[in-house]
Amino acid sequence: SAGVWKLGPFQTWRNGTTAGSAVFGKAGSPVKPVAGLTYRFYVRAHDDAGQTGAWSSAATTGIPVDDRATALRYTGTWRSVTTTSAWAGTERVSAARGAYVSFTADGTLLRVVATRTSDGGRFAVVVDGKTVGTVNTYAAKAAYRQVVFTRTLGTTIKTHKVQLRILSGSTASRSTVALDAVMVTR
């Protein structure tokens, strides 16, 4: 919800390990990651002498909202495409100028994940009725799961209305936008 950060209960993920990294959501995670939620991670060290260090600053990450999520509302001509290289195995694709996807963003940071391709087109990012950026998804070689746009929405959690609106391509053969996911971090 907008406005107030509500922390869930702290859960121990790793204890007594010397591992330098781990993958959240794999076997051994205390919770199953949920799309659209933001997670904070803290660490502290314990040494062989029994001393415990202070907790670190929080490292924050979010789980992307897949292109198939009901929170995303598509208007105009879009089609779903299955591709194993995309987040959760699908993308929503359009080359129709004026087609758009709309959603609400309750958070402080917006990221858009898309595929860059040789037929990649452009889209405008509209936040609360104002165009805040234009993204060109062209690339000579296909690149999947790319964060193609990042925007700070503010320092406090507020509800924003967002649209990703397809623009005309730079050429007729470069007009396709392949939306993979969106991510809002609180």
Side-chain angles (χ1 to χ4, degrees):
S1 64
V4 178
W5 179 278
K6 293 184 180 179
L7 291 176
F10 283 104
Q11 298 200 22
T12 300
W13 180 16
R14 296 281 191 257
N15 193 13
T17 182
T18 58
S21 65
V23 178
F24 183 60
K26 295 285 185 183
S29 291
V31 297
K32 180 180 179 190
V34 176
L37 292 185
T38 301
Y39 295 88
R40 287 183 161 189
F41 297 89
Y42 302 87
V43 298
R44 67 180 176 177
H46 300 280
D47 66 17
D48 290 338
Q51 301 174 66
T52 301
W55 286 103
S56 69
S57 297
T60 305
T61 191
I63 305 299
V65 174
D66 185 54
D67 63 281
R68 296 169 290 182
T70 58
L72 303 179
R73 293 172 302 284
Y74 293 91
T75 302
T77 304
W78 292 85
R79 62 187 169 86
S80 187
V81 175
T82 301
T83 177
T84 57
S85 298
W87 172 260
T90 64
E91 301 174 318
R92 198 66 62 107
V93 178
S94 181
R97 181 176 187 219
Y100 63 91
V101 58
S102 59
F103 55 95
T104 57
D106 296 331
T108 59
L109 185 66
L110 167 67
R111 293 183 189 101
V112 179
V113 180
T115 299
R116 294 188 184 275
T117 61
S118 60
D119 66 344
R122 300 178 311 127
F123 65 91
V125 180
V126 181
V127 177
D128 298 329
K130 180 180 176 186
T131 300
V132 297
T134 301
V135 177
N136 185 345
T137 63
Y138 169 79
K141 184 178 178 183
Y144 295 90
R145 298 183 187 193
Q146 301 294 297
V147 176
V148 297
F149 182 82
T150 302
R151 172 81 176 192
T152 299
L153 300 172
T155 57
T156 59
I157 298 171
K158 293 182 181 175
T159 299
H160 300 276
K161 294 180 189 253
V162 179
Q163 281 188 351
L164 307 178
R165 186 172 291 275
I166 306 297
L167 302 171
S168 58
S170 56
T171 68
S173 64
R174 292 186 185 165
S175 59
T176 302
V177 171
L179 177 66
D180 196 355
V182 296
M183 191 165 78
V184 179
T185 305
R186 296 186 172 166

